[in-house]
């Protein structure tokens, strides 16, 4: 696996996505398509092509995916790291909501129509496993073999953001992708990024169901008081900005501790010091085509939903 194959993999994923969307548009209501089927197909679109490319890569599987053991103490610190980066992600999500719809909130009614354990597995476990396998495993693994880790992290995070196919998720998914790649380098293991991603998504699912329960116990007057104006949203965002300004630097300190605990402090340092290292061009024609297709799709969706 190298950067060229990573780029072809991403283009394949995007083309499969378009093919599935076109098929569903043609079939219309003739195929019942609930939220569970939606989630399975969404993850299948990325994991099936990745498995195909992995099978054809000819490389030893663990050389690409890096399913290495991590220390229990590191696992506990990964939990802390995850919660420390959440305020930053919340801020980015809130900022994007000023000009685009929250993609997760738009699906909330469908999500809540399914029992909590099922959605916790689908969104909190199954989704992160597939996405980490593809983007931190296959895509990032291919880029690392072809260029510097610095550019591999940036490029794989960009593709992870674009993969969500909407501007709202793309913005904060890009930052999450950066954090997950750094975490993987700090530990040398794909299990680390999977654990972080699973905790993050599971927390979001829990909050969604919990907030619905709390709102269900409120009176109409109390619900009216909860409704946020744009001014109050800005105030709340300002508060989260302050929190994120404190927790994000601490998160990086935790990341450094994890790297030292796993004996990978030098590997983490090498991300910055080796940013000028060049082996081969990481940006190729298939990647450019895929990025243009993603941006065109996202722009069209943005225009149609306004």
């Amino acid at each position: 696996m190298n950067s060229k194959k990573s780029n072809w993999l991403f283009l394949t994923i995007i083309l499969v996505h378009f093919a599935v969307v076109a098929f569903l548009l043609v079939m219309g209501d003739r195929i019942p398509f609930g939220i569970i089927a939606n989630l399975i197909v969404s993850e299948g679109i990325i994991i099936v092509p990745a498995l195909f490319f992995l099978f054809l890569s000819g490389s030893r599987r663990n050389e690409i995916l890096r399913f290495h053991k991590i220390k229990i103490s590191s696992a506990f610190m990964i939990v802390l790291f995850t919660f420390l980066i959440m305020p930053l992600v919340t801020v980015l999500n809130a900022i994007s909501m000023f000009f685009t719809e929250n993609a997760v909130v738009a699906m909330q009614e469908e999500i809540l129509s399914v029992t909590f354990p099922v959605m916790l597995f689908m969104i909190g476990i199954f989704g992160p496993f597939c996405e980490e396998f593809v983007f931190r495993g296959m895509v990032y693994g291919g880029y690392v073999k072809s260029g510097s880790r610095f550019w591999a992290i940036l490029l794989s995070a960009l593709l992870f953001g674009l993969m969500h196919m909407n501007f709202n998720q793309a913005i904060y998914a890009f930052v999450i992708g950066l954090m997950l790649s750094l975490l993987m380098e700090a530990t040398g293991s794909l299990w680390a990024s999977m654990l972080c991603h699973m905790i993050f998504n599971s927390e979001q699912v829990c909050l969604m169901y919990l907030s619905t329960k709390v709102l269900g116990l409120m009176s109409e007057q109390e619900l009216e008081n909860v409704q946020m104006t744009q001014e109050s949203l800005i105030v709340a965002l300002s508060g989260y900005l302050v929190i994120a300004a404190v927790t994000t630097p601490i998160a990086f300190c935790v990341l450094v501790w994890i790297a030292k605990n796993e004996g990978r402090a030098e590997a983490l340092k090498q991300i910055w010091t080796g940013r000028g290292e060049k082996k081969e061009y990481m940006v190729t024609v298939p990647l450019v085509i895929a990025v243009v297709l993603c941006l065109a799709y996202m722009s069209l969706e943005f225009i149609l939903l306004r």
Side-chain angles (χ1 to χ4, degrees):
M1 197 74 181
N2 54 29
S3 61
K4 292 180 180 178
K5 290 180 180 178
S6 292
N7 293 341
W8 274 110
L9 170 58
F10 186 66
L11 177 59
T12 302
I13 289 170
I14 300 308
L15 293 177
V16 171
H17 174 86
F18 286 163
V20 171
V21 170
F23 174 76
L24 293 175
L25 287 174
V26 170
M27 296 304 294
D29 296 331
R30 283 174 283 182
I31 297 180
F33 206 69
I35 185 65
I36 297 299
N38 189 324
L39 293 172
I40 292 173
V41 170
S42 296
E43 300 304 336
I45 286 171
I46 67 170
I47 194 69
V48 172
L51 290 172
F52 179 74
F53 271 74
L54 181 63
F55 179 76
L56 296 178
S57 67
S59 303
R60 294 176 63 180
R61 306 297 182 257
N62 215 35
E63 285 183 2
I64 300 173
L65 299 173
R66 296 199 286 177
F67 279 115
H68 304 311
K69 293 180 180 179
I70 58 175
K71 296 178 181 178
I72 295 177
S73 54
S74 294
F76 281 113
M77 294 301 281
I78 289 170
V79 176
L80 175 60
F81 175 81
T82 306
F83 282 96
L84 286 170
I85 65 173
M86 284 180 182
L88 174 61
V89 175
T90 300
V91 167
L92 294 172
N93 182 31
I95 291 174
S96 71
M97 287 170 60
F98 281 105
F99 62 88
T100 185
E101 183 182 20
N102 187 309
V104 177
V105 171
M107 299 173 60
Q108 183 168 317
E109 187 175 343
E110 284 188 272
I111 292 173
L112 295 174
S113 67
V114 180
T115 58
F116 171 73
V118 173
M119 293 313 299
L120 183 63
F121 172 77
M122 292 302 302
I123 298 177
I125 306 298
F126 178 66
F129 178 86
C130 293
E131 291 170 14
E132 291 309 301
F133 185 96
V134 176
F135 287 94
R136 251 61 61 188
M138 298 286 293
V139 174
Y140 177 70
Y143 286 146
V144 166
K145 285 187 174 294
S146 301
S148 71
R149 283 176 166 77
F150 178 82
W151 293 110
I153 288 172
L154 286 177
L155 198 52
S156 62
L158 173 64
L159 301 192
F160 179 61
L162 292 175
M163 177 272 299
H164 289 81
M165 290 293 191
N166 63 80
F167 286 113
N168 169 243
Q169 287 179 290
I171 293 170
Y172 64 80
F174 169 72
V175 174
I176 292 174
L178 293 176
M179 297 298 184
L180 292 172
S181 296
L182 288 171
L183 188 57
M184 185 174 172
E185 282 301 324
T187 60
S189 175
L190 188 59
W191 290 121
S193 64
M194 281 188 176
L195 176 60
C196 179
H197 199 159
M198 287 176 182
I199 294 169
F200 187 91
N201 278 25
S202 297
E203 188 263 355
Q204 298 301 308
V205 174
C206 291
L207 283 180
M208 187 179 295
Y209 278 82
L210 181 60
S211 62
T212 303
K213 287 284 187 183
V214 172
L215 291 174
L217 297 173
M218 290 183 175
S219 64
E220 290 186 11
Q221 181 61 45
E222 289 173 323
L223 286 173
E224 289 179 6
N225 294 334
V226 170
Q227 298 299 321
M228 295 188 71
T229 63
Q230 188 170 9
E231 290 75 17
S232 58
L233 180 61
I234 292 173
V235 172
L237 177 60
S238 301
Y240 262 102
L241 273 170
V242 174
I243 296 171
V246 175
T247 60
T248 304
I250 297 175
F252 279 102
C253 292
V254 171
L255 185 73
V256 172
W257 186 94
I258 292 171
K260 290 180 179 179
N261 192 48
E262 293 290 331
R264 291 185 57 83
E266 191 58 36
L268 195 64
K269 182 180 177 181
Q270 181 65 23
I271 294 172
W272 179 254
T273 58
R275 64 190 182 280
E277 179 184 359
K278 291 184 179 179
K279 297 177 184 177
E280 60 182 68
Y281 288 110
M282 299 170 73
V283 177
T284 59
V285 172
L287 178 64
V288 174
I289 293 172
V291 170
V292 170
L293 289 174
C294 285
L295 292 174
Y297 180 93
M298 291 160 62
S299 299
L300 179 62
E301 182 186 55
F302 176 75
I303 294 169
L304 292 176
L305 291 176
R306 286 187 67 84

